[in-house]
Amino acid sequence: MGAEKIRVLIVDDIAETRENLRKLLSFAPDIEVVGTAATGEEGVQLARELVPHVVIMDINLPGMDGITATEQIVREVPTAQIIILSVQGETGYMRRAMAAGARDFLVKPPSGDELMATIRRVYEIGQAQVARMAPLQAAPTGPAGRPAAGRQGQLVAVFSPKGGVGCTTVAVNLAVALQTRLGVGQKVAIMDGSFQFGDVGVMLNLQATRSVADLAVRVEELDTDLLTSVLTPHPSGIKALLAPPNPEAAEAFIGADSGTAEGSRRIGAILDGLLSEFDIVVVDTWSMLNELTLTFLDRADLILLVVTPLIPDIKDARHFLELADRLGYPRTKIGLVINHSDRRTGLRLDQIERALIPALAHIPYDERAGIVAANRGLPIVTEEASKPVGQAFVHLAAGVLERLSQFRKTEEEEEPSVEVSRRLLGRALGI
Ligand SMILES: Nc1ncnc2c1ncn2[C@@H]1O[C@H](COP(=O)(O)OP(=O)(O)OP(=O)(O)O)[C@@H](O)[C@H]1O
Ligand SMILES: [Mg+2]
């Protein structure tokens, strides 16, 4: 970023708070407070004039409140990244602020470290945004990394930054619904990408005799016969590539910290194999963003981002969307799935979609169906076909097929480089 300083505007009606923030920031050599405002109106005005990189915005302001001011600044100065400052317990406001386009939150009084780190983080996001908007930028676009010749299939990765929100449920039911919809003429596979604690086998009530571990050590000789021999068929017609029987077996091929380059290479080769045999491969990924998960996400044509209507989910999903931007994933590559969509959490679906992206599907919560699925291994989409939850998966499958067919039409477009993604990620996460 060169010697450019991060230009910050502070909006708070209390003079002492403004002064404290300014003092805290005076210790950061890379941050400069370019202005302070005591009201929302003044904040919007100064944002227009000063075009700051970052705005620190109090929620409770006399006159125009911080949320309305945030909305206006987002609209008029889209490059400005807004951090909301709130006192504990203002979560109701925070929801609204997030929907208004705020990037992050800090609880008053923030520590100096927290404040600086948040400013630097949102600044980086803003810079990436600017780079994307620049006409001559070389950011990759289009569906991610196509492997060498022979591939026909498309990859759908189901991911959530949070565990336990329903990724496996979505992956399993989507695969079954896709197969049902496509009929016997087309082949659908599911891969359990959660190598250490995968649940796909249990959710489909499959006895695993072979797993991805059997393939991973023999990727050099991978062919149709070998692939077929390790896949487990399910009565719905889909084939499953299951997770290893225990975490140690997974470690043996993916590396001790679940993220070696060699592990990724092997998984890449397995994906190549699967995609040359199947029309659609659904992969259930782990919530952890390591090398392996990124291999799946990079290679995916479509990433289904699963959230439930809870603030931490939405916040993490937002961070993921920002990361996806920095990785050069086009927004069309991501489909939002709101699970437990009918749960009364105080968050409306339209608010979530405004804070994130429009959803591809809303999946209602059905406790009984969930228990049957988990404990008897019977997919919701077949067991509860007539219930709203079953219908929701059918709807999701239709949405996924439609999105994938759009990609097929633009298949010849440029391909992003996975190398570029890695570099950007390294910068984004400081690894
Ligand atoms: N829409 C739903 N209605 C009812 N139960 C559901 C629904 N979605 C998920 N469940 C249940 O919630 C539990 C957690 O779901 P699941 O295992 O799919 O989540 P996950 O994101 O894969 O979790 P993990 O992080 O452990 O892999 C399961 O018992 C599942 O049956
Ligand atoms: Mg899971």
Side-chain angles (χ1 to χ4, degrees):
M1 272 339 106
E4 182 189 46
K5 286 197 176 193
I6 307 177
R7 296 154 46 78
V8 175
L9 169 67
I10 298 170
V11 187
D12 198 302
D13 57 330
I14 301 167
E16 195 189 330
T17 310
R18 292 197 299 272
E19 208 33 51
N20 286 344
L21 291 172
R22 187 198 273 284
K23 268 198 206 119
L24 282 176
L25 293 176
S26 66
F27 295 106
D30 56 335
I31 298 174
E32 182 185 6
V33 175
V34 290
T36 58
T39 66
E41 288 84 351
E42 201 188 336
V44 175
Q45 179 64 29
L46 280 182
R48 262 189 227 123
E49 285 168 20
L50 301 169
V51 193
H53 295 119
V54 177
V55 180
I56 300 180
M57 177 75 73
D58 184 23
I59 285 194
N60 285 314
L61 295 167
M64 181 193 284
D65 65 16
I67 291 163
T68 315
T70 296
E71 250 164 17
Q72 284 210 15
I73 295 175
V74 167
R75 212 173 320 122
E76 294 183 37
V77 194
T79 52
Q81 308 298 313
I82 300 175
I83 300 170
I84 293 285
L85 256 192
S86 67
V87 291
Q88 209 100 41
E90 283 182 332
T91 48
Y93 289 117
M94 279 173 27
R95 274 178 211 140
R96 287 180 45 219
M98 203 168 67
R103 274 278 177 225
D104 219 321
F105 308 99
L106 283 171
V107 174
K108 277 184 183 177
S111 72
D113 284 350
E114 211 182 4
L115 181 64
M116 290 173 205
T118 309
I119 289 175
R120 289 181 186 126
R121 201 182 67 74
V122 301
Y123 167 77
E124 283 286 312
I125 293 168
Q127 289 305 102
Q129 226 176 19
V130 171
R132 265 200 328 282
M133 288 186 236
L136 291 175
Q137 50 100 21
T141 55
R146 296 203 173 279
R151 168 175 175 173
Q152 291 147 28
Q154 289 179 297
L155 182 65
V156 180
V158 184
F159 173 77
S160 168
K162 277 259 177 298
V165 299
C167 275
T168 308
T169 303
V170 168
V172 162
N173 285 284
L174 171 67
V176 171
L178 285 171
Q179 185 68 73
T180 309
R181 206 179 168 96
L182 292 171
V184 287
Q186 295 198 47
K187 301 200 295 178
V188 178
I190 184 163
M191 175 173 183
D192 197 335
S194 196
F195 297 122
Q196 284 170 317
F197 298 101
D199 297 325
V200 169
V202 207
M203 292 261 198
L204 288 172
N205 192 23
L206 295 173
Q207 302 303 321
T209 48
R210 296 294 183 89
S211 80
V212 65
D214 300 293
L215 265 191
V217 290
R218 296 171 65 189
V219 286
E220 262 60 57
E221 8 163 347
L222 201 145
D223 60 12
T224 307
D225 289 344
L226 176 58
L227 198 60
T228 314
S229 72
V230 297
L231 293 172
T232 310
H234 181 260
S236 63
I238 63 169
K239 300 263 170 49
L241 182 54
L242 298 172
N246 54 58
E248 297 80 41
E251 209 168 271
F253 75 91
I254 56 175
D257 55 359
S258 313
T260 62
E262 177 56 19
S264 294
R265 190 188 69 80
R266 290 178 187 195
I267 296 307
I270 291 172
L271 283 177
D272 285 348
L274 282 173
L275 292 165
S276 64
E277 292 290 324
F278 289 86
D279 297 281
I280 299 181
V281 177
V282 178
V283 58
D284 175 24
T285 67
W286 198 28
S287 309
M288 175 99 177
L289 262 186
N290 57 20
E291 277 287 315
L292 281 179
T293 309
L294 278 163
T295 304
F296 291 125
L297 299 183
D298 275 346
R299 296 283 296 271
D301 294 281
L302 177 62
I303 298 169
L304 292 183
L305 175 62
V306 184
V307 300
T308 67
L310 293 169
I311 292 277
D313 278 29
I314 314 301
K315 184 169 177 283
D316 289 353
R318 246 184 109 115
H319 287 165
F320 174 72
L321 286 178
E322 288 158 7
L323 179 67
D325 285 347
R326 275 176 284 165
L327 288 170
Y329 298 170
R331 277 287 159 101
T332 48
K333 177 173 165 164
I334 302 175
L336 179 68
V337 176
I338 306 181
N339 194 18
H340 303 179
S341 59
D342 55 346
R343 277 197 144 172
R344 289 174 192 277
T345 62
L347 266 187
R348 291 200 323 268
L349 299 182
D350 64 305
Q351 285 177 316
I352 298 173
E353 294 187 26
R354 248 185 302 135
L356 300 171
I357 49 174
L360 212 52
H362 300 157
I363 317 280
Y365 181 72
D366 187 319
E367 189 176 11
R368 207 193 78 84
I371 293 172
V372 171
N375 286 354
R376 294 180 44 210
L378 299 172
I380 294 175
V381 70
T382 40
E383 285 308 296
E384 311 286 352
S386 57
K387 279 186 159 184
V389 65
Q391 289 298 311
F393 285 114
V394 173
H395 176 73
L396 171 64
V400 164
L401 285 177
E402 196 194 323
R403 190 71 77 85
L404 291 179
S405 71
Q406 287 165 8
F407 293 147
R408 279 205 192 280
K409 284 187 207 127
T410 56
E411 206 131 82
E412 262 65 67
E413 281 181 11
E414 90 178 278
E415 298 167 9
S417 143
V418 171
E419 294 314 312
V420 172
S421 298
R422 294 267 170 258
R423 262 204 334 268
L424 285 169
L425 181 82
R427 254 192 43 211
L429 298 183
I431 56 175

